[in-house]
């Protein structure tokens, strides 16, 4: 680049190469790297990309899985501030910083949280850049792997533990799955979610961080209990928690997982959004579907891309056994009901081997009442959803165990017909109906209101007239014959789950 700079009365033509800086001008301009160690031996890298022109500042924050442009930024000499959300957003995070030499210090200000200080050092031009794009493959149908003829049942680490778990925790969870009676009730998968990863060795093989010293040995242990082991990765260069993903190593990772003895893979979009458009998701997911199939090992394939791109219409075609239909659940009545009661339209896409996944269970995590957890379990069973407990199985209340192991309720979820319930009625109470094998039906009467309710269920409400035998699945009691009407009492935020058979 040719720059003409006036210096002390004469004009010099100066050639500046890309990457060189003019000191005293735009001193903030650069790629600033902050590296914060995690407890497991990995390092979380965040890159602040700053471009300073006088008092004008533009740029972005590059988190491991995503890049967020500044929307509101300014500079004053070596001081600056920016945000990634407009001032109208009451929850926005504001970053205020100053530069001293080749280090910037940033105070992160979030509403309702203590301020946090980070430092970042001037990094190379490559810092935080996404790797080169690899073209996604052309579409073709991936043959059905024959697995998950009923919705998968098991446990997953994320909801309760996030990153705070390790090999010993997973072994204890496997033990507890057996000793609590969950295994006998049908639970079998012990699924490790994000934060087990370290990096790649010289051969491109993915490695585990110090929380998981030997994944093969862990799989052997879980298998010795008659259970199965699941793992997690992303089609992107980074996972949602910022750990290494499978991008460009899909075959390597599928082979590694198979060698370790992995039985289930949750494949989470996250960092893939830095490389691919949402419209390319199907091809990207197909790539891992093919790679898993090529291993020859039966591995349940769980797609996690939050229900974008109408995944229920193509999840099965990429070899998927289940696909998330929503964003992340949290342990609240609002989150659980917003997700659970929002699933009606996906119903027709559920079938043996291929399930809608409204996310993992929160039962037993403490944020809801037992009535609310019974609603959660009932709704998931009606939806033919995967039943992946998300609590600490080592310390469950007797009521939590009863909710998670109610055989009658589990049988609704695991019914061989594989139909998903549909909503029949929404005012006052919600009534959902699920067709079961052998000419039977399940009916859920859900009270979303703030007061206990007694209601009369007419056979016409559910189009099940003509003398069905009635069983109340939470009371575990037969209730005679349902001719024309029956009275149902439902506590606030509770459910009456009924089975009707001839
Ligand atoms: C996403 C997923 C979660 C969990 C986390 C892990 O948010 O939706 O279920 O896997 O990533 O980082």
């Amino acid at each position: 680049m040719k720059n003409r700079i006036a210096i002390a009365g004469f004009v010099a033509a100066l050639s500046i190469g890309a990457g060189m800086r003019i000191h005293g001008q735009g001193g903030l301009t650069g790629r600033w790297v902050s590296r914060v160690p995690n407890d497991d031996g990995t390092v979380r890298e965040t890159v602040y990309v700053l471009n300073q022109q006088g008092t004008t500042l533009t740029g972005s924050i590059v988190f491991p899985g995503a890049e967020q442009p500044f929307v509101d930024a300014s500079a004053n000499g070596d001081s600056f501030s920016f945000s990634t959300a407009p001032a109208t957003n009451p929850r926005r995070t504001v970053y205020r910083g100053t530069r001293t030499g080749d280090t910037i210090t940033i105070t992160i200000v979030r509403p309702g949280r203590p301020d946090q200080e980070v430092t970042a050092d001037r990094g190379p031009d490559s810092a935080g850049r996404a790797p080169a794009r690899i073209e996604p493959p052309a579409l073709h149908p991936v043959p059905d792997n024959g697995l998950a003829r009923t919705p998968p049942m098991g446990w997953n680490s994320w909801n309760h533990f996030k990153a705070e778990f390790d090999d010993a925790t997973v072994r204890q969870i496997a033990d507890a799955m057996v000793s609590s009676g969950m295994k006998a009730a049908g639970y079998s998968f012990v699924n490790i979610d994000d934060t087990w990863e370290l990096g790649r060795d010289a051969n491109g093989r993915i490695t585990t961080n110090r929380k998981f010293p030997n994944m093969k040995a862990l799989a052997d242990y879980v298998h010795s209990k008659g259970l199965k082991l699941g793992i997690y990765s992303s089609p992107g260069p980074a996972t949602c928690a910022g750990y290494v993903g499978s991008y460009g190593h899909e075959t390597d990772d599928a082979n590694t997982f198979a060698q370790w003895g992995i039985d289930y893979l949750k494949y989470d979009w996250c960092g893939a959004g830095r490389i691919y458009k949402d419209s390319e998701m199907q091809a990207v997911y197909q790539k891992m579907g093919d790679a898993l199939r090529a291993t020859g090992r039966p591995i349940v394939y769980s797609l996690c891309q939050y229900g974008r791109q109408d995944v229920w219409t193509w999840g099965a075609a990429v070899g998927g056994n289940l696909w998330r239909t929503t964003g992340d659940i949290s342990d609240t009545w609002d989150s659980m009901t917003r997700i659970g009661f929002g699933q009606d339209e996906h119903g027709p896409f559920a079938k043996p081997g291929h399930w809608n996944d409204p996310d993992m269970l929160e039962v037993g995590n403490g944020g809801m009442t037992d009535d609310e957890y019974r609603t959660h379990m009932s709704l998931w069973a009606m939806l033919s959803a995967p039943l992946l407990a998300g609590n600490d199985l080592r310390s469950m209340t007797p009521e939590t165990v009863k909710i998670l192991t109610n055989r009658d309720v589990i049988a609704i979820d695991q019914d061989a017909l594989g139909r998903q319930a549909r909503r029949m009625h929404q005012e006052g109470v919600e009534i959902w109906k699920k067709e079961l094998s052998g000419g039977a039906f399940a009916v859920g009467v859900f009270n979303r209101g703030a007061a206990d309710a007694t209601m009369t269920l007419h056979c016409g409400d559910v189009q099940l007239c003509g003398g069905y035998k009635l069983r109340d699945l939470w009371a575990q009691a037969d209730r005679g014959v349902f001719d024309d009407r029956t009275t149902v009492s439902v506590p606030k935020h509770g459910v009456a789950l009924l089975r009707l058979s001839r």
Side-chain angles (χ1 to χ4, degrees):
M1 176 199 342
K2 288 273 184 191
N3 282 12
R4 291 172 67 80
I5 298 181
I7 304 171
F10 68 93
V11 174
L14 184 68
S15 174
I16 299 180
M20 286 175 68
R21 298 185 301 277
I22 309 170
H23 285 284
Q25 216 188 350
L28 294 173
T29 297
R31 302 179 76 86
W32 303 85
V33 182
S34 135
R35 292 167 60 80
V36 179
N38 296 314
D39 287 344
D40 52 25
T42 60
V43 173
R44 184 170 176 83
E45 191 178 280
T46 307
V47 180
Y48 298 90
V49 182
L50 306 185
N51 299 300
Q52 182 182 19
Q53 294 284 329
T55 57
T56 303
L57 185 70
T58 55
S60 59
I61 309 184
V62 184
F63 298 106
E67 179 160 4
Q68 289 183 359
F70 301 165
V71 291
D72 191 5
S74 64
N76 181 2
D78 282 327
S79 298
F80 58 94
S81 74
F82 60 83
S83 176
T84 54
T88 50
N89 182 339
R91 295 176 54 81
R92 78 175 186 152
T93 303
V94 176
Y95 300 75
R96 293 201 187 98
T98 51
R99 178 180 74 94
T100 312
D102 281 339
T103 301
I104 57 174
T105 304
I106 299 178
T107 304
I108 305 177
V109 184
R110 294 184 185 90
R113 291 219 234 156
D115 292 354
Q116 188 193 343
E117 195 163 279
V118 295
T119 59
D121 297 325
R122 199 183 278 285
D125 186 60
S126 58
R129 300 220 186 254
R133 176 184 159 89
I134 301 168
E135 279 307 308
L139 292 179
H140 67 88
V142 179
D144 189 345
N145 60 14
L147 304 173
R149 294 298 102 180
T150 61
M153 291 177 66
W155 170 90
N156 173 293
S157 55
W158 187 255
N159 283 358
H160 180 81
F161 291 94
K162 301 284 186 288
E164 306 296 311
F165 74 118
D166 60 8
D167 177 286
T169 320
V170 174
R171 286 172 193 248
Q172 289 160 10
I173 292 287
D175 294 348
M177 192 177 277
V178 177
S179 63
S180 64
M182 286 180 68
K183 180 190 171 197
Y187 293 84
S188 63
F189 289 100
V190 177
N191 290 351
I192 298 169
D193 206 280
D194 204 353
T195 78
W196 60 269
E197 312 88 339
L198 176 66
R200 294 195 178 275
D201 69 14
N203 299 319
R205 190 177 157 97
I206 197 160
T207 52
T208 56
N209 63 47
R210 62 181 178 223
K211 291 189 296 192
F212 291 92
N214 187 337
M215 204 60 94
K216 170 95 177 67
L218 179 56
D220 289 346
Y221 181 82
V222 170
H223 292 155
S224 77
K225 301 280 157 186
L227 301 171
K228 296 183 165 136
L229 187 67
I231 209 162
Y232 166 102
S233 192
S234 170
T239 68
C240 293
Y243 289 67
V244 64
S246 294
Y247 182 67
H249 291 275
E250 293 81 359
T251 300
D252 292 336
D253 289 356
N255 288 336
T256 301
F257 299 155
Q259 283 159 14
W260 284 342
I262 296 293
D263 306 294
Y264 184 117
L265 172 67
K266 171 174 169 183
Y267 206 43
D268 191 355
W269 183 250
C270 259
R274 287 198 76 196
I275 312 275
Y276 296 115
K277 299 195 283 278
D278 276 15
S279 58
E280 294 168 317
M281 277 181 179
Q282 181 172 351
V284 170
Y285 274 92
Q286 174 193 293
K287 195 170 187 181
M288 184 53 94
D290 279 332
L292 291 175
R293 183 176 160 75
T295 68
R297 182 174 174 86
I299 300 177
V300 170
Y301 186 27
S302 158
L303 317 188
C304 177
Q305 40 77 289
Y306 337 112
R308 275 144 60 172
Q309 297 288 306
D310 293 341
V311 60
W312 37 89
T313 63
W314 53 263
V318 301
N321 296 109
L322 58 155
W323 45 82
R324 278 271 293 276
T325 55
T326 75
D328 289 11
I329 195 169
S330 60
D331 186 20
T332 65
W333 170 253
D334 274 355
S335 166
M336 185 275 286
T337 52
R338 196 171 347 104
I339 290 177
F341 290 113
Q343 299 300 310
D344 192 34
E345 59 175 302
H346 316 131
F349 297 94
K351 54 178 181 286
H354 310 285
W355 309 102
N356 291 307
D357 173 7
D359 208 358
M360 302 164 298
L361 298 172
E362 292 284 8
V363 175
N365 276 334
M368 291 183 248
T369 66
D370 286 336
D371 274 330
E372 292 172 339
Y373 284 138
R374 271 186 283 274
T375 294
H376 185 8
M377 185 77 183
S378 303
L379 195 44
W380 263 236
M382 291 294 281
L383 295 172
S384 302
L387 297 179
L388 295 171
N391 58 319
D392 187 347
L393 306 189
R394 301 169 305 177
S395 55
M396 294 189 275
T397 65
E399 203 53 40
T400 296
V401 176
K402 273 168 83 178
I403 294 170
L404 287 172
T405 59
N406 182 312
R407 297 287 209 287
D408 287 338
V409 177
I410 290 172
I412 302 300
D413 181 75
Q414 296 289 301
D415 185 80
L417 202 56
R419 293 275 158 79
Q420 182 169 325
R422 302 304 306 268
R423 176 189 278 125
M424 305 297 288
H425 181 88
Q426 206 176 1
E427 282 91 55
V429 293
E430 292 226 10
I431 303 176
W432 290 62
K433 170 183 169 185
K434 176 177 181 174
E435 187 183 355
L436 305 172
S437 49
F441 292 86
V443 171
V445 181
F446 296 93
N447 178 5
R448 297 178 70 175
D452 297 353
T454 300
M455 58 95 56
T456 304
L457 181 67
H458 295 268
C459 71
D461 295 339
V462 285
Q463 288 153 30
L464 292 173
C465 295
Y468 283 87
K469 282 185 289 178
L470 201 57
R471 183 169 170 79
D472 180 329
L473 303 185
W474 287 112
Q476 303 237 282
D478 292 329
R479 297 275 192 239
V481 174
F482 179 44
D483 279 326
D484 175 45
R485 65 188 63 191
T486 187
T487 304
V488 189
S489 300
V490 198
K492 71 166 186 177
H493 291 185
V495 59
L497 189 61
L498 308 169
R499 186 173 195 279
L500 285 73
S501 59
R502 294 283 187 190

